[in-house]
Amino acid sequence: MGSGTQAGDGPGPDTALAERRQLINVAYRLLGSLAEAEDVVQETYARWYAMSEPARAGIASPGAWLTTVASRICLNLLGSARMRRERYVGDWIPEPLPDTVLGEPGGAVDPADRVSLDESVNMAFLVVLDAMTPAERVAFILHDVFRYSFVEVADIVGRSPAACRKLASSARHRLGTARATPAPAARHAAVVRSFRQAWEAQDIDALLGLLDPAAVATADSGGNAVTFRHPIEGGDRIARAWVELARRRDPGTTLHERTVNGAPGLVVERDGAIVTVFAFDVAGDRIRHIWVVRNPDKLRHWSARPGSSRSRR
């Protein structure tokens, strides 16, 4: 099945455990939350080991079985996500990932728990995915990103292959409509660096020159940190809000450039801990969207760089 273990590899325990990274990668893209993805993988393995040894031995492809179960659990979670989001305080933004989780050599994260880096973990991409129906998201991710056949996707989603083909096509259309052509990596980095410099200098004119007039800034605190509760719309309003943030910034905080979901972003460090992560959608020379994540539950994988106040203690 798709990228999973092929039949004939044998259903031994090592074979099943070797699928962990694949399952983490699928579940994170389906849910936009690494914490939830890890829970899904744990539940998937619990179901695997709850079976008798003869039952496991009768499964020709453990990878296919595990991916099917994990995807179905994700599908159920996505179905209840709208209700959970209604209880969430403020806007919900996908969990941002640092480069240490995205396969950086020597990172603190176990290689089996790392998320592979490609366009589908980009924050702008994940935000559009979050607006899809659960079935659209599952069909698109499994087919277009992980290359499972529509016959395999149909078995997971519980619809016909033809219906899954239409779901994936609808998802592609949503992505094409919602996303402008992203700036090349080097240009994206240059814009983010210029934004940081203008922000620290409280240069409102420079900020205005970097922001699309229709730019939007969205924050996610989950009610666990102070931030703006509603999206800020318009480059002028964002520039003024960011200058005000600079004026009121705690002198104990520092601003750093860091990779966020594989793209240049910014983080705020206080006392050796990362307390805010900024992700950017850049098209051409302008910033179209800023996502601000302050919910500490979504920052547990973030830590300060060597040489920070924490590492110097």
Side-chain angles (χ1 to χ4, degrees):
M1 180 181 192
S3 302
T5 303
Q6 297 301 310
D9 286 345
D14 291 343
T15 301
L17 291 174
E19 296 293 328
R20 179 175 176 84
R21 184 170 184 180
Q22 168 77 357
L23 299 178
I24 287 284
N25 273 276
V26 171
Y28 174 71
R29 287 164 174 80
L30 290 179
L31 300 173
S33 166
L34 188 55
E36 290 186 352
E38 291 166 342
D39 289 343
V40 165
V41 173
Q42 183 175 352
E43 172 62 22
T44 300
Y45 277 114
R47 296 186 187 186
W48 170 260
Y49 289 110
M51 292 190 296
S52 66
E53 191 169 330
R56 292 199 301 270
I59 296 175
S61 175
W65 188 94
L66 291 164
T67 301
T68 296
V69 171
S71 298
R72 286 174 178 166
I73 295 172
C74 289
L75 186 60
N76 289 335
L77 286 174
L78 287 169
S80 63
R82 192 176 303 275
M83 186 180 303
R84 288 185 287 118
R85 302 282 169 78
E86 288 176 356
R87 298 192 298 268
Y88 194 82
V89 179
D91 288 289
W92 188 94
I93 295 172
E95 181 180 345
L97 301 183
D99 47 12
T100 51
V101 176
L102 292 167
E104 180 184 73
V109 176
D110 189 308
D113 290 333
R114 291 184 191 151
V115 176
S116 299
L117 177 60
D118 60 34
E119 184 193 24
S120 63
V121 299
N122 180 275
M123 185 62 75
F125 196 99
L126 290 172
V127 168
V128 179
L129 289 178
D130 200 54
M132 296 178 184
T133 68
E136 280 179 334
R137 187 167 185 169
V138 172
F140 174 79
I141 289 296
L142 291 181
H143 180 267
D144 284 43
V145 177
F146 290 97
R147 303 303 177 188
Y148 293 109
S149 72
F150 283 119
V151 172
E152 293 167 321
V153 174
D155 182 54
I156 293 170
V157 178
R159 305 193 186 190
S160 70
C164 290
R165 190 182 300 275
K166 288 182 179 179
L167 287 169
S169 176
S170 174
R172 277 183 229 111
H173 178 72
R174 282 178 182 259
L175 280 165
T177 301
R179 298 187 68 213
T181 302
R187 187 61 202 149
H188 183 122
V191 170
V192 171
R193 181 171 295 112
S194 296
F195 184 86
R196 176 183 63 79
Q197 293 167 346
W199 182 11
E200 292 185 318
Q202 300 179 32
D203 187 340
I204 194 166
D205 290 331
L207 288 171
L208 285 170
L210 294 165
L211 290 160
D212 187 288
V216 178
T218 308
D220 177 344
S221 72
N224 297 319
V226 176
T227 191
F228 51 96
R229 290 287 301 273
H230 304 288
I232 302 175
E233 299 180 353
D236 179 72
R237 292 185 63 201
I238 293 172
R240 295 182 187 283
W242 254 246
V243 167
E244 183 61 26
L245 284 173
R247 288 172 180 161
R248 299 187 308 179
R249 198 172 87 187
D250 185 335
T253 63
T254 52
L255 188 63
H256 305 286
E257 295 175 31
R258 289 280 297 272
T259 299
V260 182
N261 285 63
L266 300 173
V267 300
V268 173
E269 177 192 342
R270 180 190 296 126
D271 298 327
I274 301 302
V275 295
T276 312
V277 171
F278 299 86
F280 297 83
D281 181 21
V282 178
D285 294 328
R286 298 293 186 98
I287 295 168
R288 299 175 67 241
H289 209 128
I290 305 174
W291 294 281
V292 184
V293 181
R294 301 211 67 223
N295 186 345
D297 293 338
K298 295 184 178 182
L299 302 179
R300 62 198 178 92
H301 285 291
W302 290 82
S303 61
R305 290 294 197 190
S308 69
S309 55
R310 172 179 289 174
S311 63
R312 290 194 300 266
R313 288 177 184 177

